[in-house]
Structure formats: C-alpha cells, structure tokens
Amino acid sequence: MATDSISALGAGSGVDVKSLATNLVEAERAPRKAVLDKKIKASEGGISGYAAIKYVLGDLKTAFSNLKDQSAFNVMTTRNSQPAAFTVTSSATTATGSHSVSVSQLAKPQRSISAGFASNTVSLTTNAPITLSLSVNGATPAQTITVPATANTPEGIVATVNAANKGIKAQLINTGDTTNPVKIMFTGNTGASSAFQLTGLEGFFTSLPLADRSLKVVQTAQNAMLNVNGVDIVSASNKVEGAITGTSLDLYATTTVGQPASLDFLRDPSAVKTKIQGLVTAFNDATSMLGVVSDPKSSVETYGATLVGNSAVGTVRSQMRSMITASIETTSGQPSALRDLGMSISAKGVLELDSAKLDAALQNNFEGVVTLLTNNTENLSTFSTAPGGVAN
C-alpha cells in the first residue's frame, strides 16, 4: 500500500512525509496560480475600466445630441409695453424684431335679456312645448329650438337652448325684483356676424306693453379692431392669429389712445448656453475618468488603474479632442468650430469655456451658432469601448 510505504519510510524519523509531499506540490503550484489569479484580476479590472469609460462617454454623447434639440434655439423673450391690453404667444416660426400694436376695439358677443319670470321653475305652458325661432346674422330660414312640455320652465328653456348648440348660450339671472326676479340672458359668439334674433317668448309677457315683451339687446355684437405695424386688422375673435407671423395676440383691453404698444421679440439664448455648459461638464467628466483608469497610481476602487497602457484610452482621448476641434465649411464670418464659441482644451486636457466669447457669438450670430452646433452633432461618433481600441 502506498500510504503504508510512506509511513514505513518515515518510521522513527519524526518527519510527516505525507504533509511534506503535499507542501512541496503546493509550493510548485503557487507561482502558477498567482500568475493566473493576477491575469483574472487584471481582466476583471479591465472590464470595470471599459464599463466606466462607456458610462461617461454615454453622457458625452447625450450632451452632444442635446444640442440638436430645436426647442433650445426657438426660445423667445417677449417685451410688451402694454401687457394689460394684450398678451402674445410666440412659436418656432416667430422672428426676432420690433412691432407696433394699437387696439381700438374688442370683439364682443350680443347679449339679449328677457322680461322677468316669477321663479326658475314656474310652468309657462299647460303640457305643451315651447317653440323658439333663432336667426344668426340674418340667416333664413330661422332655426327652430323646441323646448319639450316636460321642461316648460325658465330653467328648462335654458337647458334646452344650451343643449341645442346653435350659436347662443342661455343663463338664468336673478335681478332681485320682488315680483318677477328671474330673467334669461342669451349670449351669442363674438363678432359682428354672430348677431342674432330670438323670438318665441313674447307670449309669456302679455301683461307688459308690446314693446317690452321682446328680448332687449343689452350688448351689441362687434368685431375687434386693431392696427399692427400700420395695417388695420378686423377680427371676429379677441384671439388674433397671423397679424405677426408665428404669433397669436389675445386682446383684453384697448391700448392707450395715441400710444401704440411696443412689442419686441428677442432671442433667448439661455437654453442653448445651458446645453453648451452641459457639454463642457460631460467632456471634463470623461477626461477625468480616462485619467483614473490609466493612472498606475490611482487608488480609486473598482476601476482605478485598470487600463494602464491600454491603447483604447489614447484612442478615446483623440476622438474626444477631434470632436471639439473639428471644423465645418462655412461662409466668411460664420463660426466654423466650437472654438469660435469660446471652447478650448487646456494643456491638461480640460475643456474650458470663455463665457464672454460665447455670449458674443449668440448675440451677434445666432443663426451661425445653430448651423455649427447642428453640423457638429450630426458627425457625432458612437463610442464602443472594446478591448483593443474604439470603433465607430
């Protein structure tokens, strides 16, 4: 037996031959195991390093892509010298510039009111419907609104007229009169062409003089009238579209007589600036991460010093730099590279931003900045941090 032979050889020597043999085998295997463990650790560290780079490059790509968002280029600041008279809504097609606006008349609906009833629920007929005749803007034949016999009360008339949706609305008004406090107010749409004539209630007021039985017009329908940049404009609504390209005006009151309102549209570059500053931050975060994974002295856990001497780091740095320094073909006087917007890479690889230069470019050549940013982001590379380099 092998075990017995080893025991016999060691008899009387005091030496544990079995343990000695095991230790010799382990001593011979240990260096090889250490090499393998080191390779495994390096491989795992490399994976962590690539993952860290991929993460920050994803943020950088997002920062570049954000510059393509057209909403950032279409933000306007509006200055209105008489905001109580009207408000303005701009759009993507609104151009910068100054305008003069005078509002001389607001659009109004016709309002007509009935004579008084004793209450909201007084029955006006004996199990019979009520027939109303409505003509809007003199249209013929007139439209008929039939109030059912089951709703032959003032509130029933209101409900039926509103449900008919024929261009007028009705509401009950309590005047406080001691005898007949309830009246019905009928209101049309705004604009002169929405004037209406409503008949059919006269028979309920036979105790009144003939002239007082019909609806009384308390407000006449009229159009809005304004002048924009010297051009007279008439509108049936107080929401005026197209008087200034890409805008709508909501009218609330007339402007001061003899003093047109000044309306200015100014480009607001703050959204673009925020996105550019986000690009600078993302670039510098990526640069910092490349330094951590390639620095042999880095003590950062998980991914520090995991790609020391790896060519992928240099390739990524080179591509990042080219994205900032690359130029596009433009006409004379137009910005052709991000450096024209105040961006520059320092000797330490940090992307710096000259805010004064950026502000000047946005103020003096906004369209050129838009063209540059759009073209630059169209050429954005997609980074793939695979062992051996960076591929598009």
Side-chain angles (χ1 to χ4, degrees):
M1 302 291 289
T3 302
D4 293 337
S5 299
I6 292 174
S7 298
L9 288 173
S13 66
V15 177
D16 186 345
V17 177
K18 184 177 180 180
S19 296
L20 178 60
T22 300
N23 290 338
L24 288 173
V25 171
E26 288 296 329
E28 183 177 351
R29 187 174 63 177
R32 297 179 183 178
K33 182 177 183 300
V35 170
L36 290 174
D37 288 344
K38 185 176 181 180
K39 288 182 178 180
I40 292 173
K41 184 176 181 180
S43 178
E44 292 175 345
I47 292 172
S48 297
Y50 287 123
I53 294 178
K54 185 175 182 180
Y55 177 81
V56 292
L57 290 182
D59 287 347
L60 181 58
K61 179 183 177 181
T62 298
F64 267 102
S65 297
N66 285 343
L67 293 176
K68 296 169 62 177
D69 183 2
Q70 293 298 311
S71 64
F73 306 128
N74 296 327
V75 180
M76 286 279 186
T77 295
T78 304
R79 292 193 306 208
N80 179 0
S81 65
Q82 297 189 44
F86 63 91
T87 59
V88 188
T89 302
S90 61
S91 70
T93 59
T94 304
T96 57
S98 298
H99 305 272
S100 172
V101 179
S102 295
V103 181
S104 56
Q105 180 175 290
L106 295 179
K108 293 181 179 180
Q110 176 182 328
R111 298 186 191 279
S112 296
I113 196 163
S114 72
F117 298 97
S119 72
N120 294 353
T121 57
V122 61
S123 294
L124 303 178
T125 63
T126 304
N127 297 322
I130 299 170
T131 301
L132 304 178
S133 180
L134 172 67
S135 177
V136 178
N137 196 29
T140 55
Q143 303 177 80
T144 298
I145 301 176
T146 302
V147 182
T150 54
N152 63 348
T153 62
E155 64 182 16
I157 292 173
V158 168
T160 302
V161 168
N162 290 338
N165 195 28
K166 293 184 180 294
I168 63 171
K169 292 296 182 182
Q171 67 181 72
L172 294 174
I173 296 178
N174 192 318
T175 65
D177 183 82
T178 56
T179 305
N180 296 306
V182 177
K183 294 186 176 184
I184 304 176
M185 175 77 80
F186 297 93
T187 304
N189 296 321
T190 59
S193 63
S194 294
F196 64 89
Q197 184 177 17
L198 181 68
T199 59
L201 296 180
E202 297 82 5
F204 303 117
F205 307 109
T206 55
S207 62
L208 297 177
L210 187 62
D212 295 336
R213 298 176 189 178
S214 300
L215 298 181
K216 180 181 180 181
V217 178
V218 293
Q219 178 173 283
T220 303
Q222 66 181 32
N223 293 324
M225 300 180 67
L226 61 158
N227 182 286
V228 179
N229 298 325
V231 178
D232 290 329
I233 296 174
V234 178
S235 173
S237 168
N238 287 315
K239 190 175 188 66
V240 182
E241 307 279 358
I244 300 172
T245 302
T247 70
S248 63
L249 307 177
D250 289 288
L251 312 183
Y252 299 112
T254 58
T255 52
T256 304
V257 177
Q259 296 181 20
S262 297
L263 181 60
D264 301 310
F265 295 107
L266 308 173
R267 189 73 67 179
D268 182 0
S270 59
V272 177
K273 289 178 64 175
T274 297
K275 293 179 182 296
I276 289 176
Q277 290 163 349
L279 171 61
V280 172
T281 298
F283 184 97
N284 289 333
D285 286 346
T287 297
S288 177
M289 182 61 73
L290 291 173
V292 169
V293 298
S294 61
D295 181 4
K297 298 181 180 180
S298 175
S299 59
V300 177
E301 293 185 7
T302 307
Y303 49 80
T306 54
L307 295 176
V308 177
N310 193 306
S311 61
V313 175
T315 303
V316 171
R317 280 198 176 111
S318 176
Q319 287 199 4
M320 285 173 53
R321 179 179 290 272
S322 68
M323 289 163 61
I324 299 299
T325 59
S327 299
I328 63 172
E329 291 186 8
T330 59
T331 57
S332 177
Q334 299 294 315
S336 61
L338 293 179
R339 62 175 175 273
D340 296 328
L341 307 186
M343 293 190 203
S344 61
I345 301 177
S346 70
K348 294 183 178 181
V350 176
L351 182 59
E352 298 175 339
L353 179 63
D354 184 335
S355 296
K357 191 171 184 179
L358 174 60
D359 289 341
L362 289 170
Q363 180 177 353
N364 301 325
N365 201 342
F366 189 85
E367 296 304 323
V369 172
V370 172
T371 299
L372 171 64
L373 294 180
T374 302
N375 277 273
N376 197 290
T377 52
E378 288 292 343
N379 297 324
L380 177 63
S381 298
T382 301
F383 291 105
S384 172
T385 52
V390 181
N392 291 335

